[in-house]
């Protein structure tokens, strides 16, 4: 005898659950086979990985490429905001505990914001990045005063890797 409010495992419900489990397993197995084939084809061609194999985006669908482009553009903007915050600290000495708390508050607001409010989330991310840049401004100022080549060498190396 079933209690009121307790769901019975009807054949249709059980069948739907099993079907969803099998679909997930089938998709996971298909993805694993595709990745294995991808890595085997890359490792067997020309003795290993080449620079062109990293630039080959032919197998990635266009909607995924567009999404990746937007993600990296957002990351670039966040980095620029962080650099601007560090530069403001070097010019006006604004970094410190208050900017660290501003960064933390912006991140908390960003996490509580619903995903469909993209412009507000983007603005909060830029604010958090600028506050973070201002917070690490004293460390950057110290490294510039100690030896300015400390910042120039990694910047040059990453520029060479990115443009080659």
């Amino acid at each position: 005898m079933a209690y009121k409010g307790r769901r019975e495992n009807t054949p249709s419900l059980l069948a739907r659950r099993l079907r969803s489990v099998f679909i997930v397993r089938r998709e996971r197995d298909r993805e694993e086979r595709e990745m294995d084939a991808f890595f085997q084809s890359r490792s067997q061609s020309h003795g290993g990985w080449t620079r062109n194999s990293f630039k080959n985006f032919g197998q990635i669908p266009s909607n995924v490429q567009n999404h990746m482009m937007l993600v990296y553009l957002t990351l670039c903007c966040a980095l620029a905001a962080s650099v601007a915050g560090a530069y403001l600290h070097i010019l006006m000495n604004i970094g410190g505990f208050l900017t660290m708390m501003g960064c933390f508050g912006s991140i908390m607001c960003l996490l509580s914001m619903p995903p469909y409010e993209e412009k507000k989330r983007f603005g909060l991310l830029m604010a958090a990045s600028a506050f973070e840049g201002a917070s690490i401004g004293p460390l950057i100022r110290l490294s510039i005063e100690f030896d300015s080549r400390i910042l120039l060498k990694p910047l040059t190396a990453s520029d060479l890797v990115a443009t080659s």
Side-chain angles (χ1 to χ4, degrees):
M1 177 175 198
Y3 295 107
K4 288 186 179 180
R6 184 175 170 194
R7 275 182 22 185
E8 291 287 326
N9 282 334
T10 62
S12 62
L13 179 64
L14 194 55
R16 280 185 292 187
R17 285 183 184 169
L18 286 174
R19 191 177 318 126
S20 66
V21 168
F22 287 129
I23 290 172
V24 168
R25 284 185 183 169
R26 186 175 52 207
E27 288 294 318
R28 187 180 64 210
D29 291 344
R30 184 186 58 80
E31 290 172 359
E32 287 176 1
R33 283 193 308 272
E34 287 177 359
M35 290 301 292
D36 288 342
F38 174 76
F39 283 115
Q40 286 175 358
S41 68
R42 295 297 182 197
S43 63
Q44 292 172 357
S45 65
H46 307 297
W49 293 85
T50 63
R51 185 179 305 163
N52 290 332
S53 65
F54 287 109
K55 294 180 181 178
N56 182 12
F57 291 112
Q59 297 175 352
I60 300 174
S62 63
N63 60 346
V64 175
Q65 287 180 7
N66 290 336
H67 178 73
M68 288 173 56
M69 182 184 66
L70 290 175
V71 167
Y72 284 116
L73 182 62
T74 304
L75 183 64
C76 180
C77 291
L79 182 65
S82 181
V83 167
Y87 184 69
L88 284 175
H89 171 77
I90 290 172
L91 289 181
M92 295 185 258
N93 198 19
I94 62 169
F97 182 74
L98 193 58
T99 55
M100 182 186 69
M101 293 310 292
C103 177
F104 183 71
S106 296
I107 291 172
M108 289 297 113
C109 288
L110 179 66
L111 291 174
S112 67
M113 184 87 40
Y116 57 85
E117 294 183 0
E118 293 177 3
K119 290 185 180 186
K120 288 181 184 178
R121 290 174 62 94
F122 184 77
L124 283 170
L125 177 66
M126 294 304 114
S129 298
F131 285 140
E132 182 265 338
S135 296
I136 64 168
L139 182 63
I140 292 174
R141 176 182 270 175
L142 181 66
S143 66
I144 289 173
E145 289 173 359
F146 181 70
D147 185 11
S148 62
R149 292 179 294 174
I150 290 175
L151 295 177
L152 190 59
K153 286 179 184 178
L155 179 65
T156 306
S158 63
D159 187 37
L160 288 174
V161 168
T163 57
S164 65

